[in-house]
Amino acid sequence: QVLLVESGGGLVQAGGSLRVSCQVSGGTFTRMSMGWFRQAPGKEREFVAAWSWTGRRDYADSVQGRFTISRDYAKNTVYLQMNSLKPEDTAVYYCTATGSLGALTTANTYTYWGQGTQVTVSS
């Protein structure tokens, strides 16, 4: 059983930075494609960033140049560094994992999901 545990969310002012983390256990981290999605109140869950286990990285247009996904293979952890945050980045951020190399921008591709961590950006 793969378990994903997010941490690092919180409240930050617009223009600030925040890093959220996702600790992965119970699987082979090196063979997992990892993703971050977010869901704001009243909106559908949307893709943020992904890193396939072959090394390909993808970002949503709305976060390109501001957010960076990274992986620490020694710690089985994936990070999402968020800079120049905007109020519209406010959402619950979810870490997700799959053994697939399919469409990593699509939520249905992923098998495992964390519980989510709240990120709130004040104006």
Side-chain angles (χ1 to χ4, degrees):
Q1 179 71 18
V2 175
L3 183 63
L4 309 178
V5 179
E6 299 104 332
S7 61
L11 174 64
V12 63
Q13 288 188 333
S17 298
L18 203 60
R19 188 179 76 165
V20 290
S21 305
C22 174
Q23 174 79 46
V24 181
S25 60
T28 305
F29 186 63
T30 55
R31 300 287 290 191
M32 291 181 184
S33 296
M34 303 298 300
W36 287 97
F37 283 73
R38 66 187 181 186
Q39 188 166 17
K43 295 188 177 181
E44 293 187 355
R45 190 169 298 190
E46 66 174 359
F47 169 75
V48 177
W51 188 328
S52 77
W53 62 262
T54 60
R56 187 183 80 246
R57 276 170 278 186
D58 292 298
Y59 295 94
D61 289 344
S62 60
V63 306
Q64 181 77 44
R66 299 188 299 123
F67 290 13
T68 302
I69 187 171
S70 62
R71 299 174 70 146
D72 185 333
Y73 290 92
K75 297 181 178 180
N76 282 7
T77 300
V78 61
Y79 302 97
L80 184 67
Q81 176 67 42
M82 302 180 287
N83 298 329
S84 301
L85 282 161
K86 305 174 182 180
E88 51 263 43
D89 294 317
T90 295
V92 176
Y93 283 71
Y94 295 92
C95 174
T96 186
T98 179
S100 171
L101 290 173
L104 297 182
T105 60
T106 303
N108 287 343
T109 299
Y110 295 88
T111 307
Y112 306 101
W113 292 81
Q115 81 286 353
T117 185
Q118 176 70 46
V119 172
T120 303
V121 184
S122 63
S123 58

